[in-house]
Amino acid sequence: MMDPEVSLLLHCATWRGLRQSHVQVEVSERYNRQTDAALQRHIEEVWTARASKEPWLFDGAKFRLHSFQAALPAAQRSSSFQNGDSTTNRHASAPLLTLRVGLTSYKDYLGTNWSLRAAELRRRGEAELGSSQALLAQPLGVGGVVCTGDGQVVFIRRSQEVAEAGGKLDLPGGHPEPKVVCERLGGAKVDVNLLEKRPEAVVAELFSSICAEVRDEVNIPLSSLGEPLLMGVALNHTSAGRPSAEFYISCSLSSDEVRELYWKGGAEANESTDIVFLSRAETLQLDRRSPLWLELCPSAKGAVMLFQTVKPEHS
């Protein structure tokens, strides 16, 4: 299924999703965004203008997805992503997927991926640096297809107050946080050297962050969530190909129980206005001809496409 708003960078259909033990990260400053003085001035101008209108904005550190290496058949990956490569050994020992990440920030995201100059930056990156993503922030997001005990997939209606895709249907999601990792490791601030030494802590944050988002946005307790399975990575082309790791998470609660918890309100209840359920079977059949497809924000489309491709097994 093709949709101009989203595409799949990587899917894990061979294994019906990957567990945390089969994923590793390589953290390095080499994987940070490229830049120059003119671009930095542009980023500062964009940030100053936005912050004056929205003084609550916070420039937090984010992980930047640079590339990946996977023990996947070549047909299962996009050839357009910089330095993505794979082997053909389906029986490779763990880990099966390596994500190469650097650091970026929300300010850099607004000044590159979300900038009016994003298309120009992609062209420059391709022409001057051999990659359309080289000058972009590319912050790695997370999203989750949560399936209840009675076979219903959880969607939420985004508030009109959120920065992107207000009013659209979405899945729970957010970002893994470098600050959280460093604090857990005893660091007082975000330190790339600390992250380089403890990459397993970054993987743990990648997997735990999506469960925390489900808890905070839907009010489902962590004890009711199964182990997340990584389905793959989708690219949001409404924000210049921003990547998001999409997970499948089983939930032991029924849809009625989840609905009741949602309306009691979680820590981030203000980010959505309604909860919607679609059966697993209906979600697997969603396509561009479905009226509901038009209501989905790009990140949800990417997650649904991965769900349909990977068809993760109940865990």
Side-chain angles (χ1 to χ4, degrees):
M1 175 174 54
M2 299 293 292
D3 187 294
E5 291 189 337
V6 68
S7 65
L8 303 186
L9 169 65
L10 164 75
H11 70 72
C12 305
T14 298
W15 303 284
R16 298 289 182 92
L18 290 178
R19 300 181 185 277
Q20 181 176 326
S21 59
H22 289 145
V23 178
Q24 70 176 8
V25 298
E26 181 184 336
V27 185
S28 174
E29 290 182 333
R30 300 194 312 274
Y31 303 141
N32 290 357
R33 179 180 60 83
Q34 302 292 307
T35 193
D36 57 34
L39 178 52
Q40 287 305 113
R41 285 195 297 271
H42 172 70
I43 291 171
E44 291 295 336
E45 289 168 2
V46 170
W47 179 255
T48 300
R50 283 290 297 269
S52 66
K53 296 176 183 177
E54 304 166 59
W56 56 86
L57 290 179
F58 174 71
D59 181 27
K62 305 296 178 189
F63 289 109
R64 178 182 189 269
L65 182 62
H66 172 277
S67 53
F68 69 90
Q69 181 175 353
L72 292 169
Q76 291 195 12
R77 64 184 180 88
S78 165
S79 60
S80 64
F81 198 61
Q82 76 176 62
N83 297 333
D85 52 64
S86 69
T87 68
T88 57
N89 181 8
R90 292 186 182 217
H91 304 290
S93 59
L96 298 171
L97 175 66
T98 301
L99 301 175
R100 303 186 185 108
V101 302
L103 290 177
T104 187
S105 70
Y106 187 63
K107 178 167 76 172
D108 284 2
Y109 166 67
L110 290 182
T112 59
N113 287 71
W114 200 241
S115 165
L116 294 175
R117 290 179 55 188
E120 174 195 339
L121 293 175
R122 286 175 60 86
R123 288 192 295 270
R124 273 193 58 203
E126 187 66 48
E128 299 172 18
L129 299 164
S131 167
S132 61
Q133 289 89 19
L135 296 169
L136 302 179
Q138 296 296 89
L140 179 63
V142 292
V145 173
V146 179
C147 193
T148 64
D150 54 345
Q152 300 291 309
V153 175
V154 178
F155 291 85
I156 50 178
R157 179 80 63 183
R158 292 173 66 84
S159 166
Q160 292 289 356
E161 305 302 315
V162 296
E164 299 175 42
K168 292 279 192 176
L169 280 180
D170 200 1
L171 296 161
H175 295 86
E177 302 289 351
K179 181 181 179 182
V180 169
V181 180
C182 290
E183 287 176 348
R184 286 176 181 157
L185 295 175
K189 60 180 181 179
V190 175
D191 181 353
V192 69
N193 294 317
L194 183 59
L195 296 171
E196 286 179 7
K197 294 173 184 174
R198 295 293 301 277
E200 73 283 357
V202 179
V203 178
E205 167 64 7
L206 178 64
F207 277 75
S208 65
S209 64
I210 183 54
C211 292
E213 293 291 349
V214 173
R215 176 198 62 200
D216 293 344
E217 294 182 12
V218 190
N219 204 28
I220 299 174
L222 296 179
S223 59
S224 298
L225 298 175
E227 179 185 2
L229 295 175
L230 177 63
M231 298 187 294
V233 177
L235 302 178
N236 180 346
H237 296 294
T238 67
S239 50
R242 179 183 55 173
S244 182
E246 304 295 346
F247 295 83
Y248 172 79
I249 306 173
S250 62
C251 173
S252 60
L253 303 176
S254 70
S255 53
D256 285 343
E257 290 171 318
V258 170
R259 182 182 289 107
E260 183 178 350
L261 286 168
Y262 173 82
W263 287 114
K264 287 181 179 178
E268 297 178 2
N270 62 310
E271 295 185 4
S272 65
T273 60
D274 197 8
I275 188 166
V276 175
F277 295 93
L278 203 63
S279 74
R280 183 186 178 98
E282 289 173 311
T283 306
L284 287 169
Q285 293 300 316
L286 267 182
D287 61 28
R288 292 184 67 188
R289 296 168 296 181
S290 309
L292 194 63
W293 187 260
L294 300 176
E295 293 192 58
L296 298 180
C297 66
S299 58
K301 290 178 179 179
V304 168
M305 288 166 63
L306 280 166
F307 182 59
Q308 294 172 343
T309 303
V310 176
K311 298 181 178 64
E313 296 171 349
H314 292 284
S315 45

